Amino acid sequence: MEDSAPAPKRRAKFQIKSNRLYTLIPYLISFLLGFSIAGYQFSLSDISREFGMGNSGMGVIATARAIGMILLPLLVSFFADKLPKKRIAQIFGWLYVAFSLLMGLGGGNFYIVLLSVFFIYSCSTTLYASLVIILAETAPQKTNQFSNILGLVNGLASMVYPIILGALMSRGMSWRGHYFILSALVGLTLLAFFFIAPKKVYQVEIKKDEQKKKFNWRDTRFLALCLLLFLNVVMDTSIGYFAKPFFASELHSASGAAICISIINGGMLPAKYFASRVRKRKREMIFITFLGLAGATLLMAAVRGAVTSLIWCLVCGIFLGPQYSTIQGLAVDIFPEHSGRVSMLLLPFSGAASAIATVLMGALSDGIGAGNAFYPLVAIALLSAVPAYLFMRDKRRAADEEQKAA
């Protein structure tokens, strides 16, 4: 009789029921996706050089990545709430593994590289967004903690992996090895989903006499979240874009140019940890961080020096750190019935902001210099504080927080 048991019951016999072990899986996947982002940035110039395309090749590859990060989440948003979130993570996780292998095996063909980049980074973005919801289903009151810890481990991996990859490539490994390593590590981690399950999953309960509310695209809270995420990515991308040429060409500090991005990322890590402890003042935190960014970018532009500017980089990182993850967590909190759709719909705004900021800020830097380009960022940060303040003062906030507490 045991042999005729349904597949889920047979599988349950081999599963460990533990919330603590289960939450480790998304954290580990997020850590590996940090490897993925850093490895892409580290190896992009090598890929372009191999095909003899220089900066134009990097631009084509970056465009394929940006288009994928915009289009796939839009497609997934139509069915994101109709499937279990763990299944979405598994589907796009295994697609990530498959195209990483294709990138490693078929990387000698530029068209295969473009196709692989399109799917690798669109799938990794979709996979990352699903991790927040998977964790929120185990303890809804901890959504902000989960989203910020995911961001923390992702950022930590982005800092560590270039050192590891640089050491491997200096010993003769090609850029293809990066994709083989990631496909193996992510594949092994995804297998853990088959053997570890949570003790209990919390889902939105709908009473018999109620119908599930349709998602309203015009909801001002949703529009505010989209705008805030867009502005956060514009600030993040722009500061990262300007920092290195600012130190190299205007401050003539080779050491500053070498470490400024790491210092910005280093400032983000403790800020994310602090933000993970915040439960009731998340909207105030977003508002304060935009004001802080305005002050930090003003100091970057007005008070310049090889050492002092590194301090301002650290301050920028501190204020940038909590924003993306906290906005992502708030989206799940405010729209629990549509958490999958909202999380996916936020991603195209992130991809579009990154692409737009890279183009516009590059032209701005060429026109007025990398140092002076921080002045427009002051204005953008101050303008960003306006929707952040309105979102903080939204009259439905009390109802949202009461629903979350329930």
Side-chain angles (χ1 to χ4, degrees), residues 16 83 85 127 170 185 235 242 266 300 328 382 387 392 405:
I16 300 171
L83 291 176
K85 303 307 178 289
L127 172 59
S170 68
L185 292 177
M235 292 296 297
F242 292 147
M300 283 287 285
Q328 203 175 32
L382 288 173
M392 183 177 73

Side-chain angles (χ1 to χ4, degrees), residues 91-287:
I91 290 170
F92 291 100
W94 287 113
L95 281 173
Y96 172 92
V97 171
F99 281 99
S100 293
L101 282 172
L102 180 62
M103 183 78 159
L105 293 170
N109 185 303
F110 190 68
Y111 295 105
I112 290 180
V113 168
L114 289 181
L115 179 69
S116 299
V117 165
F118 178 93
F119 281 103
I120 287 170
Y121 296 101
S122 59
C123 289
S124 66
T125 303
T126 305
L127 172 59
Y128 184 85
S130 67
L131 299 179
V132 180
I133 311 169
I134 289 172
L135 290 170
E137 288 179 342
T138 65
Q141 73 279 9
K142 295 182 178 180
T143 304
N144 189 58
Q145 177 181 328
F146 291 143
S147 61
N148 275 285
I149 295 297
L150 283 170
L152 190 155
V153 297
N154 186 272
L156 181 62
S158 296
M159 289 181 64
V160 172
Y161 190 59
I163 300 171
I164 300 171
L165 191 57
L168 291 173
M169 292 180 73
S170 68
R171 286 168 172 76
M173 187 185 82
S174 79
W175 58 265
R176 294 172 181 80
H178 156 68
Y179 291 96
F180 287 127
I181 291 170
L182 265 294
S183 63
L185 292 177
V186 173
L188 288 171
T189 307
L190 288 170
L191 287 174
F193 273 129
F194 291 105
F195 302 104
I196 302 173
K199 287 183 178 179
K200 187 175 181 180
V201 172
Y202 295 86
Q203 295 180 333
V204 178
E205 293 184 3
I206 301 173
K207 296 178 182 179
K208 292 181 179 180
D209 57 343
E210 291 182 352
Q211 289 185 345
K212 184 175 180 178
K213 296 177 183 177
K214 288 185 177 181
F215 178 67
N216 182 6
W217 299 73
R218 301 177 197 173
D219 191 311
T220 53
R221 296 168 299 175
F222 170 68
L223 296 176
L225 288 168
C226 292
L227 179 59
L228 290 171
L229 192 75
F230 181 90
L231 293 167
N232 160 252
V233 176
V234 166
M235 292 296 297
D236 191 348
T237 303
S238 301
I239 290 170
Y241 191 98
F242 292 147
K244 193 171 181 178
F246 172 58
F247 278 92
S249 61
E250 298 200 13
L251 298 181
H252 305 291
S253 173
S255 59
I259 65 173
C260 60
I261 301 299
S262 295
I263 287 179
I264 292 171
N265 290 332
M268 290 184 182
L269 298 182
K272 286 179 186 293
Y273 178 76
F274 171 79
S276 73
R277 317 303 295 177
V278 176
R279 291 193 179 183
K280 293 185 178 180
R281 298 292 179 183
K282 291 172 279 189
R283 302 186 194 210
E284 283 84 352
M285 182 168 62
I286 294 171
F287 173 65

